[in-house]
Amino acid sequence: MVVIKLEGGLGNQMFQYAFASILAKKNKSSIKIDKDFFDLTKKTQGFTPRNFELDIFDNSYLIASQSDIGSLTQLSFSNKIRRKLGIYESKIFYEPTFDFHPDALSIKAPVYVKGYFQSYKYLIGYEDLIRETFVFPIGTLNNTNKELLLHLKTKTTIAIHIRRGDYITNKLTQQFHGNCSLEYYLEAISLLTSRNKDFTLIFFSDDNIWVKEKFENLPYPKIFVDHNKNENSWKDMCLMSSCTHNIIANSSFSWWAAWLNGNPNKIVIAPKLWYAEVEKNTNDLIPPQWIRL
């Protein structure tokens, strides 16, 4: 049994579940989810309550009971003695840093796992497994999204994800993550438009008023997607993954949209700085074929 502690929004949950899926496959084991994080509903400075969102995918999820969690995280009397004797092997793995840790892929089940595991390197060799795990339920899209999806699949389109929201309004979140500058997006748009003809810019954001104000006068065909809110926000990820190319924010949400983009000739542009504090930035997050600006 692999028990994964889920935290954060949809993108983070996907990183965590992807890692657990790979670990479970290597161990020929089952996955159970610790969902306790989603019981926290009070918004505080630096913390935004989240909902369990992986149920948008057609997977069967086993929820870990308190007994399951306790069996891996609480030491029995005999295991306390083993630990004193130096012969006890912990059944808990906490990700030590944001970097890729190859030893993590050798963890033996049963184990309780906590971390974000935000690295493309964990997915190498398991791409098909993860793509099969995260299949969007296209059939549930409404007519507006289905019509847009058809346009995205038949035209040259550039998805541009601009995350503001708590990156702007929450002081602690802003200090930790920072947000991509207007200059970053303009440079990325300039690079991709110089390489493509007959394209359409598709803007996705949680702050469409700001986005329209800043980009509406660009001399290119463009669409502003502003109809997928709250529990329907996953539909933006689905639409972004169906575009020809991607310009992403420093957001796991748009990272997954770009990674799940099945276009073999896609160009993905990502920000050089993923976190506001330079020392927190990792080289293991962004695939080497993506362009960083």
Side-chain angles (χ1 to χ4, degrees):
M1 175 176 64
V2 174
V3 177
I4 181 69
K5 171 78 171 179
L6 291 187
E7 298 179 277
L10 177 59
N12 284 332
Q13 293 173 43
M14 290 170 70
F15 270 116
Q16 293 155 2
Y17 193 77
F19 176 77
S21 297
I22 293 166
L23 204 59
K25 183 176 180 64
K26 289 172 68 70
N27 279 274
K28 298 180 181 179
S29 175
S30 62
I31 308 171
K32 290 192 176 183
I33 295 171
D34 177 355
K35 289 177 61 179
D36 287 353
F37 174 87
F38 306 110
D39 294 334
L40 304 174
T41 57
K42 184 178 179 181
K43 187 172 184 177
T44 58
Q45 189 66 260
F47 175 76
T48 301
R50 301 289 189 177
N51 296 316
F52 176 68
E53 297 184 66
L54 292 181
D55 52 3
I56 65 166
F57 301 111
D58 187 21
N59 300 316
S60 296
Y61 298 105
L62 299 175
I63 308 305
S65 66
Q66 291 304 311
S67 176
D68 292 327
I69 297 169
S71 69
L72 298 173
T73 60
Q74 297 175 9
L75 285 177
S76 64
F77 178 74
S78 58
N79 282 335
K80 287 179 181 178
I81 294 175
R82 290 190 181 93
R83 187 172 67 174
K84 286 184 177 180
L85 294 173
I87 58 174
Y88 173 72
E89 190 171 333
S90 176
K91 293 180 173 61
I92 304 173
F93 179 83
Y94 290 144
E95 181 186 32
T97 67
F98 288 116
D99 302 310
F100 171 65
H101 298 278
D103 291 348
L105 291 170
S106 300
I107 296 170
K108 300 299 181 186
V111 64
Y112 178 88
V113 181
K114 184 178 185 299
Y116 286 96
F117 306 102
Q118 294 183 347
S119 173
Y120 75 93
K121 294 180 179 180
Y122 288 118
L123 312 183
I124 294 174
Y126 297 92
E127 291 87 353
D128 289 345
L129 169 67
I130 302 308
R131 291 183 185 280
E132 290 167 6
T133 300
F134 299 140
V135 176
F136 294 107
I138 302 296
T140 67
L141 296 177
N142 60 21
N143 288 335
T144 300
N145 283 310
K146 284 181 178 178
E147 290 172 6
L148 180 54
L149 182 63
L150 180 62
H151 178 82
L152 301 181
K153 287 182 174 293
T154 55
K155 305 292 183 180
T156 298
T157 53
I158 300 171
I160 304 167
H161 183 228
I162 301 174
R163 177 171 176 175
R164 286 172 61 80
D166 58 344
Y167 277 23
I168 301 296
T169 60
N170 191 307
K171 184 178 179 180
L172 290 180
T173 302
Q174 208 280 332
Q175 289 174 346
F176 182 81
H177 286 283
N179 60 287
C180 297
S181 67
L182 177 61
E183 290 72 25
Y184 160 72
Y185 286 107
L186 291 175
E187 184 179 356
I189 291 170
S190 177
L191 190 155
L192 280 181
T193 55
S194 70
R195 300 186 181 187
N196 292 275
K197 294 182 178 180
D198 300 322
F199 58 85
T200 303
L201 304 179
I202 316 292
F203 288 91
F204 301 85
S205 180
D206 52 9
D207 188 352
N208 276 287
I209 293 175
W210 185 90
V211 170
K212 287 180 180 179
E213 177 188 327
K214 300 299 182 184
F215 297 97
E216 199 159 32
N217 292 327
L218 287 177
Y220 310 115
K222 48 195 165 302
I223 296 173
F224 296 94
V225 181
D226 59 4
H227 54 271
N228 295 317
K229 307 291 185 183
N230 301 319
E231 69 274 8
N232 291 313
S233 62
W234 67 267
K235 296 172 184 177
D236 276 359
M237 185 189 288
C238 172
L239 294 171
M240 286 193 284
S241 72
S242 301
C243 289
T244 314
H245 309 295
N246 298 81
I247 297 171
I248 72 172
N250 56 334
S251 161
S252 58
F253 188 92
S254 53
W255 188 100
W256 276 106
W259 192 88
L260 290 171
N261 183 341
N263 174 20
N265 300 312
K266 69 184 177 186
I267 299 173
V268 179
I269 298 180
K272 282 184 179 179
L273 293 182
W274 199 258
Y275 301 104
E277 297 181 31
V278 175
E279 63 271 15
K280 284 188 170 65
N281 285 278
T282 172
N283 293 321
D284 296 332
L285 175 64
I286 305 298
Q289 61 269 34
W290 295 7
I291 299 169
R292 303 193 74 169
L293 296 178

